[in-house]
Amino acid sequence: MSDYEKLGVFYLGREYDPATKTDSKAPLLYDSRDLTTHGVCVGMTGSGKTGLCLSLLEEAAIDGIPAICIDPKGDLGNLLLTFPELKPEDFQPWIDAEEAGRKGLSVEDLAKKTAETWRTGLAEWDQQPDRIARFRDAVDIAIYTPGGSAGIGLSVLKSMDAPPAEIRENAESLRERVTGNCMGLLALLKIDADPVTSREFLLLSTILENAWAAGKSLDLADLIHQIQSPPFDKVGVMSLDTVFPAQDRFQLAMKINTLVASPGFAAWRTGEPLDVKRLLHTTEGKPRLTIISIAHLSDSERMFFVTLLLNEVIGWMRAQPGTSSLRALLYMDEVFGYFPPTANPPSKTPMLTLLKQARAFGLGVVLATQNPVDLDYKGLSNCGTWWIGRLQTERDKARVLDGLEGAATAAGHGFKRSEMDKLLSGLAQRVFLMNNVHEEKPVLFRTRWALSFLRGPLSRVQISDLMKARKSGEAPAAESAKASGTAATGEKRPLLPPDIEEYFEPLRKVGSVVYSPAILGEVKVRFNNATAGVDLWETLSLVTDLKNEMPDDPWAVAETMVEEAPEREKTPDSEAGFAAMPAELAKPKTYSALATALKDHVYRNHVLKLFKYAPMKIVSKPGESEGDFRVRVAAKVAEQRDAQVDVLRAKYSGKRKTLEDKAMRAQQKLDREKAQASTKMMDAAISIGSTIFGSLMGRKKISTTTLSKAATAAKTATKVAGQKQDVAHAEESLEAIMAQITELDNQLDTEIETLKASANPQLLELETVEFSPKKTDIQVDRVALYWRC
C-alpha cells in the first residue's frame, strides 16, 4: 500500500525545491483532520488552483468524506469525467473540436493524445488507473442546477420550513436563520435592504420569526397572504399600518407573487428538496459528492440561493453531535462577491458563522478564489490552512500576506512576512505554498496529477448529458383526484347530534364538490423501554373512507399517519354536496364503540421499529431512517477508530524504535567487522608477498626462518577467512532485523485497514428491534366524522 492511501491523509503532491526546481520523491500528505479548521486556496487563472482543489475533493471522496460543492464557474463538473480504463473513446466526447483544430489535429487524434497524457501523468505521480475506479465507487456524484433544467433540480420551497428545534430554541441562531432567508429573498427581488432600517426586512423577518418560533412552516403562498394580512398588528411599539401601510404591503406581496408566477421561477419549485442531509449522503448512507452549479443564474439569483444553502448547512450542522474528526466538507469554488471586507451581502453572515463554529461539528469549509483583493481577511483568519499559487499583482500578494498574518496570529503562531514574501515570489504553474497552522513551517509543493479529466467549464448541454440518466425519474407524478364514487351534486348535509365532532377536508379543486364520509381517529401512544433508552409519545391519526356500510373492522383498512394530522376545517364549503353515510354514524354511541376498537387496534398492530447496532449498544431514534442511522453510527465508529488508530500507532512506535535501535547497532557491528576484515586481508597479503619475494630473490637455500614466516602468513590467511565469516554473520543479523521492521509495518497497515473497513456505514451489521405499547399507555383523544372532498 502506498503511503498516501493510508487512513486520514490526502495525497496533494510532492515537496518542491525552488533552488533546483525539482520535486522530491516522497508524497506530500495532508492530515484530513486539519481541514476542520478550514482552508483557503488562492491563485490566478492558470496557477493550477482548479487542479489542486479537485484533487483535494478526490482525496476526500476516496476517504469516504462527503462534500457539498458550490460551483459558480462550471469547473467542478470535471469530477464526473473519470475514465478508469483511460480509453481514447472515453475522452473523445469531451474534446473541444476548436482546440483540436488549433493544434492541427482531428478530434480522434487529440483524444488519443489526451488519453496518453493522462496515463503518463498518473504514472509519473505513482497513481494507477484503478485509483480512478476507487474514486468513482467511493461516492455518489451528481450535479444540481437550482433554478435551471440542465442538471438535477433543487427545490427551494423547503427553505421556508420551520428550522429544527436546535435552532428555534436558540434566539441568536433563529435570528441568523431568519435574517439570511429574508435578505436572500429581498436580494432575489432586487430590493437593496438594510437589516436595521428596511421596513421590508422588518416585516418579512417578523412574519418568519413568529411562525418559526411556534414551529410552523410557511410556503411562498402563505408568506404572500401574511404580508397582506400579518398575524400581528404592531411592529415594535408602533402600529403595523403606521410602519408599513396596507397599500405598500400589497405592492410587496405583488412583487413576490409576480416572481412566483414567472415562468423562470417554476424551475426553483421542481426537483429534490434542499435537504443538506440528503445532499451529503444517499438514503442508504453512501457518501455523496454533490456539485451545485450556479453558473447559469443571475447575480441576484446566485446570492439568493447561496444564502439559503449556507443557512440550511448551519441548521444541519447544529443538529449534529460534536466531533474532532472530519465529518463533511463545504467547498465554494469562487468566493469573490460573497465574503467582501466592508460590504455585508446576505451570504456573509452565515459564511462567517460557519468559519467560526463548524469546526466543533467536524464540518470543514474550503474557499477558493482568483480575486484575492476583495475578501474579508479578518474573517478568513479563522482558516488554518492556506494554499497559495501564482498571483497576478503585488497588490494581490500583499493582501494574501495580510490574510496569512491574521491566520498565524489567530492560531498564536509567529509570522515571518519577509520570508513568506520571498516564497510567494515567482511561483511556477502547479506550485503552491501550503501554510498550515498545525505544522511547524510552510512548505512549497507541486500538485499531483488529477484523477478527473480537467477539460474546463462544462456547458449546460454537457451537464444535461451527464445527468440525463439521473433526471429520468425526477419529475413528480401528477396528482390524481380522489375517487368519491358519488354523484356530482350529492345530498344535503346531514343533521347530527351536537356531541358528534365533525370536520371537513379543505377543498382541493375548483367546481362542484361532493364530500364523502370517513371516520377520523386520533390517539397518543407511549413506547417506554428503559433498557433501550426509549421513552416516546407518538401521535397517530387514522382515517377510514366509508361507503354506504360500516366495515366490520373499520380501523383495519385505515390510512395511518404518524406525527401528522389530516388538514381539516370546522365548516364546509357552502355550495358543496354530501354523499350518503352509514346510518350508525348519526348515533353518539357508535363513536364510543369506535374509540374502544381504536385502542384495541393500536395495541394489537402498532409497534415501534428501530435499528440497533449491537457492538456499541446504539439504538436509532424514532423517525430516523436506516441510512441516517448508519451515517450516525459510522461517525461514532470513526471516532472510536481514530482513537484506536492512535493507540495502534503508539503501540507499534515503541516496538519499531526498539528494532531501529537494534538495526543501528547491527549496522555498527557490520561496519566494524568489514573494517577488521579489510585490515586482516591487507596484513595477510603483505606477509605472504614478503615471504615469497624473499625466497625467490635470496641466494641461499630456504632457511628455517623463511619456513617460519611462511607458516605465520598461512595462519594470517586463515584468520582472514574467519573474519569474512564474521562479516557475513553481521550482514545476516542486520537483514533479519530489517525484515522484522518491514513485517511490523505491514502488521500496522493491516490492522489500520481493518479498522478503516469497520467504519463503512453500508457494511455495518444492524438488527431491527420492535417495541410494543402497554394498553394503559394508549390514549384515544378523538373519534370524529370526517368529510373528504
Side-chain angles (χ1 to χ4, degrees), residues 748-766:
L748 174 59
D749 290 342
T750 299
E751 292 192 40
I752 288 178
E753 281 304 305
T754 301
L755 289 174
K756 179 180 179 181
S758 68
N760 187 334
Q762 298 171 76
L763 300 181
L764 296 173
E765 293 187 6
L766 304 182

Side-chain angles (χ1 to χ4, degrees), residues 554-627:
W555 301 118
V557 293
E559 174 189 351
T560 302
M561 291 170 277
V562 180
E563 300 300 335
E564 284 186 73
E567 295 182 86
R568 58 191 181 224
E569 299 172 342
K570 290 292 291 182
T571 56
D573 180 71
S574 58
E575 299 179 0
F578 289 80
M581 69 176 190
E584 301 99 305
L585 293 183
K587 302 174 183 177
K589 66 178 183 179
T590 299
Y591 297 87
S592 298
L594 286 170
T596 302
L598 176 58
K599 188 170 186 176
D600 290 339
H601 171 78
V602 171
Y603 176 70
R604 287 184 282 104
N605 297 285
H606 190 63
V607 296
L608 178 65
K609 293 183 178 181
L610 300 177
F611 300 104
K612 181 178 180 181
Y613 182 60
M616 297 182 74
K617 298 181 180 178
I618 302 177
V619 177
S620 65
K621 299 174 183 177
E624 186 176 26
S625 71
E626 180 179 350

Side-chain angles (χ1 to χ4, degrees), residues 233 327 446 478 509 522 654 743 778:
D233 54 13
R327 172 180 278 135
R446 190 189 300 276
K509 58 184 179 180
E522 295 181 339
E743 182 180 358
I778 301 173

